[in-house]
Amino acid sequence: MSWIFLLLGVVAEALSHVALKATDGFSKPLPAAFVLLGHLTAFIFLGQAMKGMPVGVVHALWAGLAIVTVTLLSALFYRQHLDMTAWVGMALVAVGVMMINFSQGHTH
């Protein structure tokens, strides 16, 4: 069940981050409310995921999956596209964060 909560947290966070652009610096109330609700929802789901998974593992997976999800949603909603170099860089960051959190020397 922790994995489901983690994925729901990633989706809530990613949608919230993509909606952040629509707030126009938090000058538009409806998108701003969506962003705040999305972040709150994401943290509720992440808190539930942490009941059954180590904090570091949840955070590493959340960060890596959110990077990719936000980028994909940005391409869909805002037609923002990245080149291959940017995708490789994001993959390296996500893999690096996961490696640190899965390492033997890291305590959860």
Side-chain angles (χ1 to χ4, degrees):
M1 195 67 183
S2 292
W3 281 97
I4 293 170
F5 285 126
L6 174 63
L7 293 176
L8 289 171
V10 167
V11 169
E13 179 79 10
L15 288 172
S16 180
H17 277 219
V18 172
L20 189 59
K21 182 173 176 63
T23 69
D24 195 30
F26 274 88
S27 64
K28 296 181 179 175
L30 188 59
F34 184 84
V35 167
L36 295 174
L37 182 62
H39 272 71
L40 177 62
T41 303
F43 283 114
I44 290 170
F45 284 135
L46 292 172
Q48 292 298 312
M50 288 179 191
K51 286 182 176 180
M53 298 171 74
V55 173
V57 172
V58 169
H59 191 268
L61 292 171
W62 171 50
L65 291 170
I67 289 168
V68 174
T69 306
V70 167
T71 303
L72 292 172
L73 290 174
S74 296
L76 180 68
F77 289 116
Y78 298 118
R79 304 288 185 240
Q80 297 174 342
H81 301 284
L82 301 177
D83 61 15
M84 186 55 70
T85 304
W87 277 107
V88 170
M90 282 194 302
L92 290 172
V93 168
V95 168
V97 169
M98 289 173 43
M99 287 176 67
I100 290 167
N101 283 287
F102 287 132
S103 73
Q104 296 291 337
H106 185 73
T107 58
H108 297 286

XYZ file of all heavy atoms in Angstrom:
812
model
N 0.817 -1.199 0.000
C 0.000 0.000 0.000
C 0.867 1.272 0.000
O 0.464 2.299 -0.522
C -0.916 -0.048 1.224
C -2.040 0.914 1.187
S -3.185 0.472 -0.114
C -4.329 1.780 0.002
N 2.062 1.170 0.584
C 2.957 2.327 0.636
C 3.310 2.827 -0.759
O 3.427 4.036 -0.985
C 4.237 1.979 1.394
O 3.948 1.777 2.754
N 3.484 1.892 -1.698
C 3.821 2.284 -3.071
C 2.687 3.070 -3.715
O 2.938 4.024 -4.458
C 4.156 1.048 -3.911
C 5.543 0.573 -3.655
C 5.934 -0.423 -2.802
C 6.736 1.098 -4.222
N 7.295 -0.553 -2.821
C 7.821 0.365 -3.687
C 7.003 2.102 -5.142
C 9.142 0.617 -4.033
C 8.324 2.353 -5.493
C 9.372 1.611 -4.940
N 1.460 2.694 -3.435
C 0.310 3.419 -3.995
C 0.282 4.841 -3.444
O 0.096 5.806 -4.190
C -1.007 2.670 -3.702
C -1.026 1.357 -4.478
C -2.220 3.535 -4.045
C -2.151 0.421 -4.110
N 0.482 4.969 -2.120
C 0.521 6.298 -1.521
C 1.667 7.131 -2.092
O 1.511 8.326 -2.345
C 0.637 6.211 -0.001
C -0.637 5.823 0.678
C -0.668 4.748 1.545
C -1.813 6.529 0.473
C -1.839 4.384 2.185
C -2.990 6.178 1.104
C -3.009 5.103 1.967
N 2.812 6.508 -2.305
C 3.955 7.214 -2.877
C 3.617 7.737 -4.271
O 3.863 8.907 -4.589
C 5.180 6.302 -2.938
C 6.410 6.875 -3.636
C 6.937 8.101 -2.913
C 7.484 5.821 -3.765
N 3.038 6.890 -5.102
C 2.684 7.307 -6.462
C 1.618 8.399 -6.462
O 1.687 9.342 -7.260
C 2.235 6.102 -7.282
C 3.341 5.081 -7.572
C 2.769 3.870 -8.303
C 4.483 5.699 -8.358
N 0.650 8.299 -5.564
C -0.367 9.354 -5.455
C 0.271 10.669 -5.007
O -0.106 11.748 -5.485
C -1.470 8.935 -4.484
C -2.394 7.824 -4.973
C -3.308 7.347 -3.841
C -3.211 8.267 -6.173
N 1.250 10.581 -4.109
C 1.982 11.770 -3.680
C 2.758 12.408 -4.811
O 2.788 13.632 -4.953
N 3.371 11.584 -5.637
C 4.119 12.088 -6.800
C 3.176 12.799 -7.758
O 3.469 13.897 -8.241
C 4.869 10.947 -7.513
C 5.377 11.387 -8.875
C 6.025 10.441 -6.655
N 2.032 12.196 -8.039
C 1.072 12.800 -8.965
C 0.560 14.139 -8.418
O 0.508 15.140 -9.138
C -0.097 11.832 -9.256
C -1.221 12.529 -9.998
C 0.400 10.632 -10.042
N 0.200 14.165 -7.131
C -0.298 15.404 -6.524
C 0.770 16.503 -6.575
O 0.478 17.655 -6.907
C -0.741 15.152 -5.076
N 1.993 16.145 -6.239
C 3.091 17.111 -6.259
C 3.367 17.610 -7.675
O 3.542 18.809 -7.904
C 4.355 16.467 -5.686
C 5.555 17.359 -5.667
C 5.549 18.337 -4.510
O 4.710 18.204 -3.603
O 6.391 19.239 -4.523
N 3.407 16.707 -8.633
C 3.707 17.089 -10.015
C 2.618 18.009 -10.581
O 2.927 19.029 -11.207
C 3.867 15.840 -10.881
N 1.370 17.670 -10.357
C 0.279 18.526 -10.834
C 0.341 19.903 -10.174
O 0.103 20.930 -10.820
C -1.077 17.868 -10.569
C -1.406 16.666 -11.444
C -2.673 15.978 -10.950
C -1.546 17.076 -12.908
N 0.681 19.910 -8.906
C 0.799 21.165 -8.173
C 1.921 22.034 -8.737
O 1.762 23.240 -8.915
C 1.037 20.852 -6.692
O 1.162 22.027 -5.952
N 3.055 21.419 -9.033
C 4.178 22.180 -9.578
C 3.874 22.713 -10.967
O 4.254 23.847 -11.296
C 5.439 21.318 -9.625
C 6.142 21.278 -8.321
N 7.508 21.309 -8.213
C 5.684 21.220 -7.052
C 7.858 21.270 -6.939
N 6.755 21.203 -6.222
N 3.201 21.932 -11.776
C 2.848 22.393 -13.120
C 1.834 23.538 -13.021
O 1.915 24.513 -13.770
C 2.319 21.220 -13.970
C 1.762 21.712 -15.291
C 3.444 20.219 -14.220
N 0.909 23.450 -12.084
C -0.085 24.512 -11.899
C 0.545 25.800 -11.366
O -0.006 26.885 -11.535
C -1.184 24.042 -10.946
N 1.715 25.680 -10.745
C 2.392 26.855 -10.187
C 2.641 27.914 -11.255
O 2.535 29.113 -10.991
C 3.704 26.416 -9.537
C 4.465 27.437 -8.717
C 3.621 27.960 -7.564
C 5.737 26.798 -8.170
N 2.945 27.484 -12.465
C 3.169 28.436 -13.564
C 1.901 29.252 -13.836
O 1.974 30.443 -14.124
C 3.610 27.693 -14.821
C 3.909 28.603 -16.000
C 4.496 27.820 -17.142
C 4.725 28.661 -18.371
N 5.684 29.737 -18.192
N 0.747 28.623 -13.710
C -0.521 29.297 -14.001
C -0.919 30.315 -12.929
O -1.823 31.119 -13.150
C -1.641 28.261 -14.160
N -0.237 30.308 -11.794
C -0.586 31.269 -10.738
C -0.121 32.674 -11.058
O -0.577 33.620 -10.429
C 0.029 30.868 -9.378
O 1.451 31.018 -9.424
C -0.362 29.473 -8.958
N 0.802 32.804 -12.015
C 1.355 34.103 -12.385
C 1.870 34.827 -11.144
O 1.458 35.941 -10.826
C 0.311 34.939 -13.123
C 0.912 36.131 -13.851
O 2.083 36.044 -14.274
O 0.217 37.148 -13.977
N 2.773 34.142 -10.439
C 3.351 34.725 -9.225
C 2.360 34.798 -8.072
O 2.425 35.705 -7.259
N 1.468 33.859 -8.023
C 0.407 33.783 -7.010
C -0.545 34.974 -7.069
O -1.152 35.360 -6.074
C 0.984 33.614 -5.596
C 1.253 32.178 -5.261
C 2.468 31.598 -5.581
C 0.287 31.403 -4.646
C 2.722 30.272 -5.297
C 0.523 30.069 -4.352
C 1.749 29.507 -4.682
N -0.724 35.550 -8.262
C -1.674 36.644 -8.432
C -3.047 36.140 -8.882
O -3.999 36.923 -8.917
C -1.134 37.665 -9.428
O -1.010 37.083 -10.713
N -3.145 34.872 -9.221
C -4.427 34.293 -9.640
C -4.880 33.306 -8.571
O -4.236 32.278 -8.338
C -4.277 33.611 -10.995
C -3.916 34.583 -12.104
C -3.806 33.897 -13.435
C -3.458 34.918 -14.510
N -3.236 34.279 -15.805
N -6.002 33.589 -7.908
C -6.410 32.803 -6.739
C -6.751 31.334 -7.009
O -6.380 30.475 -6.204
C -7.657 33.527 -6.206
C -7.772 34.790 -6.965
C -6.860 34.731 -8.148
N -7.416 31.037 -8.104
C -7.820 29.648 -8.341
C -6.617 28.727 -8.558
O -6.500 27.697 -7.878
C -8.813 29.563 -9.504
C -9.456 28.193 -9.720
C -10.217 27.750 -8.471
C -10.375 28.232 -10.919
N -5.696 29.066 -9.466
C -4.517 28.210 -9.589
C -3.676 28.173 -8.307
O -3.117 27.132 -7.953
C -3.718 28.824 -10.736
C -4.670 29.682 -11.479
C -5.716 30.100 -10.501
N -3.611 29.290 -7.587
C -2.849 29.324 -6.338
C -3.459 28.371 -5.312
O -2.735 27.644 -4.616
C -2.802 30.748 -5.780
N -4.771 28.344 -5.225
C -5.445 27.420 -4.307
C -5.177 25.973 -4.708
O -4.963 25.100 -3.851
C -6.949 27.698 -4.286
N -5.162 25.707 -6.019
C -4.863 24.359 -6.515
C -3.449 23.944 -6.120
O -3.215 22.806 -5.709
C -5.038 24.301 -8.040
C -4.834 22.936 -8.618
C -5.875 22.018 -8.630
C -3.611 22.560 -9.135
C -5.690 20.741 -9.151
C -3.412 21.289 -9.661
C -4.460 20.376 -9.664
N -2.497 24.864 -6.225
C -1.107 24.575 -5.864
C -1.016 24.230 -4.378
O -0.396 23.226 -3.993
C -0.183 25.762 -6.209
C 1.189 25.602 -5.568
C -0.062 25.912 -7.720
N -1.611 25.035 -3.541
C -1.551 24.789 -2.092
C -2.236 23.477 -1.723
O -1.702 22.691 -0.927
C -2.174 25.957 -1.333
C -1.433 27.290 -1.479
C -2.214 28.410 -0.818
C -0.031 27.194 -0.919
N -3.391 23.223 -2.305
C -4.100 21.969 -2.043
C -3.297 20.773 -2.556
O -3.231 19.731 -1.908
C -5.488 22.002 -2.695
C -6.373 20.785 -2.465
C -6.679 20.607 -0.972
C -7.661 20.918 -3.251
N -2.667 20.936 -3.710
C -1.850 19.858 -4.267
C -0.667 19.519 -3.395
O -0.354 18.345 -3.176
N -0.006 20.535 -2.865
C 1.133 20.286 -1.970
C 0.670 19.615 -0.672
O 1.310 18.678 -0.195
C 1.870 21.588 -1.670
C 2.922 21.911 -2.672
N 2.639 22.309 -3.949
C 4.269 21.884 -2.582
C 3.762 22.523 -4.598
N 4.778 22.268 -3.792
N -0.417 20.099 -0.119
C -0.948 19.484 1.104
C -1.312 18.024 0.859
O -0.954 17.131 1.645
C -2.171 20.255 1.600
C -2.875 19.684 2.821
C -1.937 19.664 4.031
C -4.128 20.481 3.129
N -1.967 17.760 -0.240
C -2.348 16.386 -0.600
C -1.114 15.508 -0.778
O -1.073 14.370 -0.297
C -3.197 16.392 -1.887
O -4.341 17.222 -1.686
C -3.628 14.993 -2.281
N -0.105 16.041 -1.448
C 1.129 15.280 -1.669
C 1.764 14.897 -0.341
O 2.182 13.741 -0.152
C 2.111 16.092 -2.507
N 1.835 15.829 0.592
C 2.472 15.526 1.875
C 1.648 14.545 2.705
O 2.206 13.725 3.433
C 2.761 16.805 2.648
C 3.970 17.524 2.119
C 3.847 18.759 1.516
C 5.228 16.947 2.195
C 4.955 19.421 1.016
C 6.341 17.598 1.696
C 6.209 18.833 1.103
N 0.342 14.602 2.583
C -0.498 13.608 3.275
C -0.209 12.217 2.720
O 0.000 11.263 3.475
C -1.995 13.976 3.151
C -2.290 15.215 3.998
C -2.883 12.804 3.557
C -3.665 15.819 3.764
N -0.163 12.091 1.405
C 0.146 10.789 0.792
C 1.555 10.323 1.134
O 1.772 9.147 1.421
C -0.037 10.839 -0.726
C -1.468 10.810 -1.188
C -1.904 11.672 -2.185
C -2.374 9.919 -0.649
C -3.223 11.645 -2.626
C -3.689 9.878 -1.080
C -4.116 10.746 -2.066
N 2.521 11.230 1.104
C 3.901 10.851 1.432
C 4.019 10.411 2.883
O 4.751 9.475 3.196
C 4.861 11.995 1.119
C 5.016 12.300 -0.360
C 5.823 13.569 -0.565
C 5.649 11.138 -1.100
N 3.293 11.074 3.767
C 3.283 10.658 5.167
C 2.746 9.247 5.328
O 3.261 8.455 6.131
N 1.736 8.916 4.554
C 1.182 7.559 4.595
C 2.183 6.556 4.023
O 2.330 5.455 4.541
C -0.135 7.495 3.815
C -1.271 8.264 4.455
C -1.626 7.717 5.818
O -1.790 6.519 6.016
N -1.732 8.603 6.791
N 2.879 6.942 2.955
C 3.877 6.049 2.357
C 5.001 5.754 3.342
O 5.528 4.635 3.391
C 4.447 6.669 1.082
N 5.349 6.744 4.161
C 6.445 6.579 5.121
C 6.096 5.655 6.280
O 6.975 5.251 7.031
C 6.902 7.936 5.638
C 7.657 8.734 4.619
S 8.152 10.329 5.279
C 8.713 11.135 3.790
N 4.840 5.301 6.419
C 4.458 4.329 7.450
C 5.053 2.955 7.149
O 5.329 2.192 8.057
C 2.938 4.201 7.557
C 2.268 5.361 8.227
C 0.770 5.096 8.318
C 0.048 6.176 9.068
N -1.403 5.906 9.148
N 5.240 2.653 5.868
C 5.720 1.333 5.491
C 7.043 1.324 4.755
O 7.523 0.265 4.364
N 7.642 2.509 4.555
C 8.910 2.600 3.825
C 9.815 3.578 4.556
O 9.334 4.514 5.191
C 8.669 3.110 2.394
C 7.807 2.216 1.534
S 7.354 2.997 -0.041
C 8.897 2.881 -0.920
N 11.133 3.388 4.450
C 12.059 4.345 5.075
C 11.931 5.739 4.461
O 11.672 5.884 3.263
C 13.437 3.761 4.777
C 13.198 2.322 4.459
C 11.834 2.248 3.854
N 12.132 6.748 5.285
C 12.005 8.138 4.859
C 12.912 8.432 3.658
O 12.474 9.032 2.678
C 12.345 9.101 6.021
C 12.382 10.543 5.544
C 11.341 8.943 7.147
N 14.159 8.013 3.729
C 15.102 8.293 2.653
C 14.703 7.659 1.337
O 14.874 8.255 0.277
N 14.163 6.465 1.406
C 13.730 5.771 0.186
C 12.527 6.486 -0.414
O 12.469 6.734 -1.628
C 13.417 4.292 0.481
C 12.789 3.618 -0.725
C 14.682 3.562 0.915
N 11.563 6.847 0.429
C 10.386 7.572 -0.062
C 10.819 8.884 -0.708
O 10.385 9.221 -1.809
C 9.370 7.833 1.081
C 8.284 8.806 0.634
C 8.749 6.533 1.553
N 11.699 9.608 -0.036
C 12.112 10.903 -0.559
C 12.872 10.768 -1.870
O 12.660 11.543 -2.810
C 12.964 11.649 0.468
C 13.183 13.071 0.089
N 14.272 13.475 -0.639
C 12.434 14.175 0.291
C 14.192 14.773 -0.856
N 13.088 15.228 -0.297
N 13.760 9.783 -1.949
C 14.531 9.582 -3.182
C 13.623 9.226 -4.351
O 13.752 9.791 -5.448
C 15.577 8.489 -2.975
N 12.705 8.307 -4.129
C 11.790 7.911 -5.200
C 10.863 9.054 -5.578
O 10.594 9.293 -6.763
C 10.994 6.677 -4.775
C 11.824 5.403 -4.631
C 10.993 4.299 -4.004
C 12.375 4.968 -5.970
N 10.378 9.768 -4.576
C 9.489 10.906 -4.811
C 10.196 11.964 -5.655
O 9.653 12.450 -6.648
C 9.046 11.460 -3.463
C 8.298 12.745 -3.497
C 7.207 13.056 -4.272
C 8.559 13.897 -2.710
N 6.783 14.324 -3.998
C 7.592 14.865 -3.042
C 9.510 14.200 -1.748
C 7.556 16.119 -2.450
C 9.452 15.452 -1.153
C 8.495 16.386 -1.507
N 11.420 12.286 -5.287
C 12.162 13.318 -6.015
C 12.424 12.898 -7.462
O 12.187 13.673 -8.398
C 13.485 13.609 -5.300
N 12.907 11.677 -7.641
C 13.222 11.205 -8.989
C 11.997 11.105 -9.876
O 12.002 11.554 -11.027
N 10.935 10.528 -9.334
C 9.708 10.386 -10.126
C 9.057 11.738 -10.399
O 8.492 11.953 -11.475
C 8.722 9.455 -9.409
C 9.135 7.991 -9.337
C 8.203 7.225 -8.397
C 9.145 7.363 -10.718
N 9.142 12.650 -9.437
C 8.538 13.969 -9.631
C 9.253 14.753 -10.721
O 8.611 15.454 -11.508
C 8.544 14.746 -8.314
N 10.573 14.638 -10.789
C 11.340 15.339 -11.832
C 10.829 14.938 -13.216
O 10.531 15.780 -14.061
C 12.842 15.027 -11.707
C 13.440 15.706 -10.483
C 13.596 15.443 -12.973
C 14.833 15.220 -10.146
N 10.714 13.658 -13.432
C 10.289 13.157 -14.737
C 8.824 13.500 -14.998
O 8.459 13.944 -16.096
C 10.528 11.635 -14.838
C 9.964 11.075 -16.120
C 12.021 11.338 -14.737
N 7.971 13.341 -13.988
C 6.532 13.602 -14.166
C 6.274 15.069 -14.464
O 5.486 15.403 -15.362
C 5.745 13.150 -12.916
O 6.055 11.790 -12.648
C 4.253 13.296 -13.122
N 6.921 15.980 -13.741
C 6.743 17.414 -13.989
C 7.206 17.766 -15.404
O 6.541 18.527 -16.111
C 7.493 18.263 -12.941
C 7.576 19.719 -13.362
C 6.816 18.147 -11.587
N 8.300 17.185 -15.824
C 8.811 17.465 -17.167
C 7.837 16.975 -18.235
O 7.571 17.684 -19.211
C 10.194 16.816 -17.355
O 11.066 17.313 -16.333
C 10.769 17.141 -18.714
N 7.297 15.788 -18.049
C 6.324 15.260 -19.011
C 5.047 16.100 -19.030
O 4.511 16.404 -20.104
C 6.005 13.800 -18.691
C 7.148 12.808 -18.910
C 6.760 11.428 -18.375
C 7.515 12.733 -20.379
N 4.557 16.476 -17.858
C 3.337 17.297 -17.796
C 3.577 18.690 -18.383
O 2.680 19.249 -19.017
C 2.838 17.393 -16.357
C 2.249 16.117 -15.769
C 1.919 16.303 -14.293
C 1.012 15.677 -16.546
N 4.773 19.242 -18.180
C 5.100 20.546 -18.758
C 5.097 20.485 -20.281
O 4.674 21.431 -20.942
C 6.469 21.020 -18.271
O 6.440 21.224 -16.885
N 5.572 19.375 -20.819
C 5.535 19.197 -22.274
C 4.092 19.119 -22.759
O 3.741 19.694 -23.794
C 6.300 17.938 -22.671
N 3.250 18.448 -22.001
C 1.852 18.280 -22.385
C 1.064 19.583 -22.273
O 0.381 20.001 -23.211
C 1.210 17.190 -21.518
C -0.242 16.876 -21.772
C -0.418 16.213 -23.136
C -0.784 15.954 -20.685
N 1.168 20.263 -21.125
C 0.348 21.452 -20.878
C 0.924 22.742 -21.450
O 0.175 23.611 -21.891
C 0.122 21.637 -19.369
C -0.795 20.607 -18.766
C -0.317 19.725 -17.813
C -2.119 20.510 -19.150
C -1.144 18.766 -17.247
C -2.963 19.565 -18.595
C -2.469 18.685 -17.645
N 2.239 22.888 -21.412
C 2.857 24.147 -21.810
C 3.713 24.040 -23.064
O 4.366 25.004 -23.444
C 3.710 24.695 -20.653
C 2.896 25.000 -19.421
C 3.138 24.320 -18.230
C 1.884 25.951 -19.435
C 2.399 24.581 -17.091
C 1.131 26.220 -18.309
C 1.394 25.536 -17.130
O 0.650 25.797 -16.016
N 3.753 22.867 -23.669
C 4.550 22.627 -24.876
C 6.032 22.944 -24.644
O 6.720 23.447 -25.524
C 4.016 23.435 -26.056
C 2.568 23.202 -26.391
C 2.377 21.850 -27.025
N 0.998 21.684 -27.458
C 0.216 20.705 -26.999
N 0.677 19.841 -26.142
N -1.011 20.598 -27.431
N 6.502 22.680 -23.417
C 7.913 22.870 -23.099
C 8.637 21.550 -23.325
O 8.303 20.546 -22.720
C 8.079 23.303 -21.639
C 7.447 24.634 -21.342
C 7.506 24.980 -19.868
O 7.718 24.130 -19.012
N 7.294 26.246 -19.569
N 9.609 21.568 -24.202
C 10.323 20.347 -24.541
C 11.807 20.502 -24.231
O 12.376 21.577 -24.429
C 10.111 19.996 -26.015
C 8.675 19.796 -26.354
N 7.987 18.661 -26.017
C 7.780 20.604 -26.975
C 6.736 18.762 -26.421
N 6.584 19.933 -27.005
N 12.402 19.428 -23.762
C 13.824 19.425 -23.435
C 14.593 18.594 -24.443
O 14.047 17.658 -25.028
C 14.033 18.845 -22.029
C 13.329 19.582 -20.888
C 13.571 18.862 -19.582
C 13.802 21.020 -20.805
N 15.857 18.939 -24.612
C 16.686 18.145 -25.504
C 17.223 16.917 -24.756
O 17.038 16.763 -23.557
C 17.811 18.975 -26.118
C 18.767 19.542 -25.078
O 18.762 19.093 -23.920
O 19.543 20.445 -25.443
N 17.893 16.049 -25.487
C 18.388 14.797 -24.923
C 19.386 15.033 -23.791
O 19.397 14.308 -22.804
C 19.017 13.923 -26.013
C 19.410 12.542 -25.521
S 18.054 11.605 -24.739
C 17.033 11.271 -26.145
N 20.199 16.060 -23.912
C 21.176 16.359 -22.865
C 20.479 16.657 -21.540
O 20.905 16.181 -20.476
C 22.068 17.551 -23.277
O 22.684 17.262 -24.527
C 23.120 17.845 -22.234
N 19.404 17.416 -21.580
C 18.651 17.722 -20.357
C 18.024 16.458 -19.772
O 18.033 16.262 -18.550
C 17.578 18.766 -20.648
N 17.489 15.598 -20.629
C 16.905 14.341 -20.141
C 17.963 13.460 -19.482
O 17.724 12.872 -18.427
C 16.230 13.581 -21.287
C 14.843 14.076 -21.562
C 14.449 14.827 -22.628
C 13.680 13.853 -20.768
N 13.102 15.091 -22.537
C 12.603 14.498 -21.411
C 13.433 13.178 -19.582
C 11.316 14.496 -20.911
C 12.143 13.164 -19.075
C 11.101 13.820 -19.731
N 19.126 13.380 -20.092
C 20.219 12.581 -19.506
C 20.629 13.178 -18.165
O 20.835 12.456 -17.187
C 21.416 12.482 -20.480
C 22.636 11.876 -19.794
C 21.031 11.663 -21.704
N 20.719 14.492 -18.093
C 21.066 15.149 -16.835
C 20.048 14.865 -15.740
O 20.416 14.577 -14.590
N 18.767 14.926 -16.070
C 17.726 14.610 -15.078
C 17.816 13.163 -14.634
O 17.645 12.850 -13.461
C 16.336 14.906 -15.652
C 15.990 16.352 -15.636
S 14.248 16.661 -15.912
C 13.994 15.908 -17.491
N 18.077 12.287 -15.563
C 18.204 10.865 -15.215
C 19.387 10.651 -14.273
O 19.285 9.892 -13.303
C 18.364 10.021 -16.477
N 20.499 11.322 -14.539
C 21.671 11.193 -13.673
C 21.395 11.720 -12.266
O 21.811 11.112 -11.277
C 22.872 11.906 -14.290
C 23.458 11.259 -15.543
C 24.503 12.166 -16.171
C 24.042 9.889 -15.219
N 20.697 12.835 -12.169
C 20.340 13.377 -10.852
C 19.438 12.396 -10.108
O 19.659 12.078 -8.934
C 19.649 14.754 -10.982
C 19.027 15.188 -9.675
C 20.642 15.797 -11.478
N 18.418 11.888 -10.792
C 17.487 10.947 -10.155
C 18.210 9.678 -9.715
O 18.006 9.190 -8.592
C 16.341 10.610 -11.115
N 19.073 9.153 -10.568
C 19.823 7.939 -10.217
C 20.774 8.223 -9.065
O 20.904 7.419 -8.140
C 20.575 7.389 -11.455
C 21.577 6.321 -11.054
C 19.583 6.832 -12.460
N 21.422 9.372 -9.074
C 22.341 9.726 -7.998
C 21.640 9.834 -6.653
O 22.133 9.318 -5.643
N 20.492 10.471 -6.631
C 19.724 10.586 -5.383
C 19.311 9.207 -4.891
O 19.422 8.889 -3.703
C 18.493 11.498 -5.584
C 17.544 11.418 -4.406
C 18.929 12.931 -5.814
N 18.866 8.367 -5.792
C 18.458 7.014 -5.402
C 19.645 6.203 -4.895
O 19.529 5.489 -3.903
C 17.756 6.310 -6.570
C 16.382 6.901 -6.829
S 15.513 6.316 -8.294
C 15.774 4.599 -8.313
N 20.810 6.332 -5.542
C 21.991 5.590 -5.103
C 22.408 6.002 -3.691
O 22.759 5.160 -2.869
C 23.147 5.801 -6.084
C 22.958 5.069 -7.403
S 24.266 5.414 -8.586
C 25.653 4.651 -7.769
N 22.378 7.294 -3.413
C 22.735 7.777 -2.076
C 21.783 7.208 -1.038
O 22.196 6.733 0.027
C 22.713 9.326 -2.035
C 23.878 9.869 -2.852
C 22.769 9.836 -0.590
C 23.773 11.349 -3.143
N 20.511 7.217 -1.334
C 19.522 6.756 -0.349
C 19.477 5.251 -0.204
O 19.040 4.736 0.827
C 18.137 7.315 -0.685
C 18.033 8.752 -0.269
O 17.947 9.041 0.905
N 18.091 9.656 -1.224
N 19.914 4.525 -1.199
C 19.949 3.061 -1.100
C 21.295 2.542 -0.602
O 21.464 1.339 -0.409
C 19.634 2.410 -2.443
C 18.188 2.506 -2.834
C 17.823 2.931 -4.097
C 17.183 2.179 -1.934
C 16.495 3.022 -4.476
C 15.844 2.265 -2.293
C 15.494 2.695 -3.559
N 22.271 3.433 -0.387
C 23.610 2.997 -0.007
C 23.623 2.407 1.397
O 22.771 2.710 2.229
C 24.594 4.171 -0.076
O 24.366 5.065 0.987
N 24.610 1.554 1.669
C 24.755 0.907 2.965
C 25.065 1.903 4.073
O 24.696 1.710 5.203
C 25.869 -0.157 2.905
C 25.570 -1.307 1.968
C 24.449 -2.187 2.483
O 24.171 -2.230 3.669
N 23.824 -2.918 1.591
N 25.779 2.961 3.735
C 26.190 3.937 4.731
C 25.108 4.917 5.131
O 25.266 5.683 6.060
N 24.001 4.894 4.440
C 22.913 5.834 4.723
C 21.920 5.185 5.662
O 21.399 4.114 5.399
C 22.225 6.227 3.402
C 21.175 7.268 3.580
N 21.488 8.584 3.839
C 19.838 7.202 3.548
C 20.365 9.281 3.945
N 19.360 8.448 3.768
N 21.651 5.825 6.786
C 20.696 5.271 7.749
C 19.332 5.885 7.521
O 19.211 7.057 7.177
C 21.138 5.528 9.197
O 21.285 6.927 9.384
C 22.445 4.814 9.482
N 18.305 5.089 7.730
C 16.931 5.572 7.506
C 16.251 5.792 8.829
O 16.313 5.142 9.748
C 16.136 4.547 6.688
C 16.710 4.335 5.330
N 16.577 5.256 4.313
C 17.457 3.336 4.806
C 17.186 4.805 3.240
N 17.725 3.655 3.524
